[in-house]
Amino acid sequence: KENFTTFKFVGWPQVVTLDLSTNYAKQYKRLFTSALQKPANFNGHYVVASYGCGSGCMAYGIVDKQTGKVYQGPTDDYGGNYQVPNNFESTRYSLNSNVFKVVGYSHIDKYQFNGSTFTRLPYMGGGE
């Protein structure tokens, strides 16, 4: 009689497809499908995708790498005449944080992502 050992592969890549249940996900299907293939870069298991929305404006979508669900970013990023710090892009969002920064006309707004929606954090004044 042969003995077989069953192995459980821990960390085996899960195949996730883009959730197209919203018009937003359908409208930017190509962008979000591409984003889903990239490593997570926001709040543990999300990836941020950006796209232009006219005249220097940027908009953001957040794709959940575990479910394929897409969330619209907190607001458009206008930039205006506000001078951002040199390291701003590297601190806009991070894999280890649920805070997302957006450049407004006169200051940087911070939003907290709770897994489905963004909540604007109080503005404290100063550079960021």
Side-chain angles (χ1 to χ4, degrees), residues 71-120:
Y71 303 94
Q72 194 161 2
T75 186
D76 295 341
D77 190 7
Y78 296 105
N81 292 323
Y82 185 72
Q83 292 292 90
V84 297
N86 288 337
N87 68 338
F88 177 73
E89 284 305 322
S90 65
T91 65
R92 182 186 290 273
Y93 52 86
S94 107
L95 181 62
N96 301 314
S97 174
N98 68 346
V99 174
F100 191 92
K101 299 176 189 176
V102 178
V103 180
Y105 286 107
S106 62
H107 62 275
I108 295 171
D109 290 318
K110 294 180 183 179
Y111 294 84
Q112 187 172 31
F113 185 63
N114 71 7
S116 63
T117 59
F118 285 90
T119 302
R120 187 174 178 201

Side-chain angles (χ1 to χ4, degrees), residues 7-83:
F7 293 98
K8 181 178 180 183
F9 292 98
V10 178
W12 191 260
Q14 177 185 357
V15 176
V16 176
T17 57
L18 190 65
D19 179 344
L20 295 172
S21 62
T22 66
N23 287 336
Y24 181 61
K26 289 175 191 171
Q27 183 177 3
Y28 297 101
K29 178 182 176 181
R30 183 179 295 172
L31 173 73
F32 297 139
T33 299
S34 175
L36 194 56
Q37 306 307 312
K38 296 178 181 176
N41 59 9
F42 176 62
N43 196 22
H45 58 91
Y46 299 88
V47 64
V48 176
S50 63
Y51 53 95
C53 49
S55 297
C57 171
M58 290 297 290
Y60 301 90
I62 312 299
V63 182
D64 187 329
K65 290 191 57 72
Q66 293 179 343
T67 65
K69 195 159 178 65
V70 177
Y71 303 94
Q72 194 161 2
T75 186
D76 295 341
D77 190 7
Y78 296 105
N81 292 323
Y82 185 72
Q83 292 292 90

